[in-house]
Amino acid sequence: MRPTRRSALASLLAIAPAALLRHGVSVAAEPRALAPTPACGEDPGATPAQTAGPYYRPSAPARRDLRGDRPAGAPFTVAGYVVDARCRGIAGALVEIWHADEAGRYDNEGFLLRATQRTDAAGRWGFDTILTRHYAGRTAHYHFRVSRPQGRALVTQLYFPDEPRNAADPIFDARLLMRLDAARRLGRFDFVVA
Ligand SMILES: [Fe+2]
């Protein structure tokens, strides 16, 4: 199914899940609570790749809930699907996340705010984590590495649509904006991999 702009908007307006209004949205809210990001359905192109930057560390633990890594951070769930160019979900894709904490700092010694996860049978993934923060020279962003089984890895970053520092960040790409819920607790993005 390739939703049109109108149907995506209609489904977004139709949704008012109580889960999104609670403090600390969980992955259980699932990405269908928000309309697909424009990359899926309106633009058949693959998700743009971006630099991994200097802070990627391989072998992060497999887990969904990172909130305990930085309890002072504001809870934020980032979730979506991994799909192919025809918007079909890809099961078993490896999704890795790493990001700065609420003060703009990376953990480069251990694996705080770093995790991996396999997509489910429908191609869904999701991490319960915290709101990241900008740091010197960069607007706020989450780093991702997405590998379909036996496929090449897509390395990219996701951004917030309401972040004023986006305009000053030379790496920022508007094609990589998450779709946020009104409470700014849930961000959705669908990775389109070749
Ligand atoms: Fe970064």
Side-chain angles (χ1 to χ4, degrees), residues 132-134 138-142 158-160 163 165-166:
T132 188
R133 185 174 182 266
H134 65 276
R138 294 304 319 279
T139 190
H141 60 278
Y142 293 98
L158 299 184
Y159 299 93
F160 295 87
E163 172 55 66
R165 288 176 178 81
N166 288 346

Side-chain angles (χ1 to χ4, degrees), residues 33-65:
L34 291 175
T37 46
C40 187
E42 296 170 14
D43 176 359
T47 299
Q50 294 216 302
T51 176
Y55 302 120
Y56 175 67
R57 302 188 73 206
S59 307
R63 57 191 179 135
R64 287 182 167 272
D65 192 345

Side-chain angles (χ1 to χ4, degrees), residues 119-165:
T119 55
D120 70 8
R124 270 186 301 238
W125 59 274
F127 295 97
D128 291 322
T129 186
I130 63 164
L131 276 176
T132 188
R133 185 174 182 266
H134 65 276
Y135 53 88
R138 294 304 319 279
T139 190
H141 60 278
Y142 293 98
H143 290 273
F144 283 91
R145 188 174 188 276
V146 180
S147 319
R148 64 186 301 174
Q150 286 89 46
R152 277 179 46 213
L154 163 70
V155 176
T156 193
Q157 304 180 30
L158 299 184
Y159 299 93
F160 295 87
D162 54 357
E163 172 55 66
R165 288 176 178 81

Side-chain angles (χ1 to χ4, degrees), residues 18-109:
L20 295 182
L21 305 176
R22 290 203 309 268
H23 179 79
V25 172
S26 110
V27 167
E30 72 173 273
R32 273 179 291 191
L34 291 175
T37 46
C40 187
E42 296 170 14
D43 176 359
T47 299
Q50 294 216 302
T51 176
Y55 302 120
Y56 175 67
R57 302 188 73 206
S59 307
R63 57 191 179 135
R64 287 182 167 272
D65 192 345
L66 291 68
R67 291 173 295 191
D69 290 2
R70 293 289 184 201
F76 184 78
T77 294
V78 56
Y81 289 77
V82 177
V83 300
D84 66 16
R86 297 171 68 182
C87 286
R88 296 175 299 198
I90 297 173
L94 184 67
V95 179
E96 302 179 65
I97 186 173
W98 71 102
H99 66 88
D101 68 11
E102 76 284 2
R105 302 166 303 199
Y106 285 90
D107 173 20
N108 294 312
E109 313 282 307

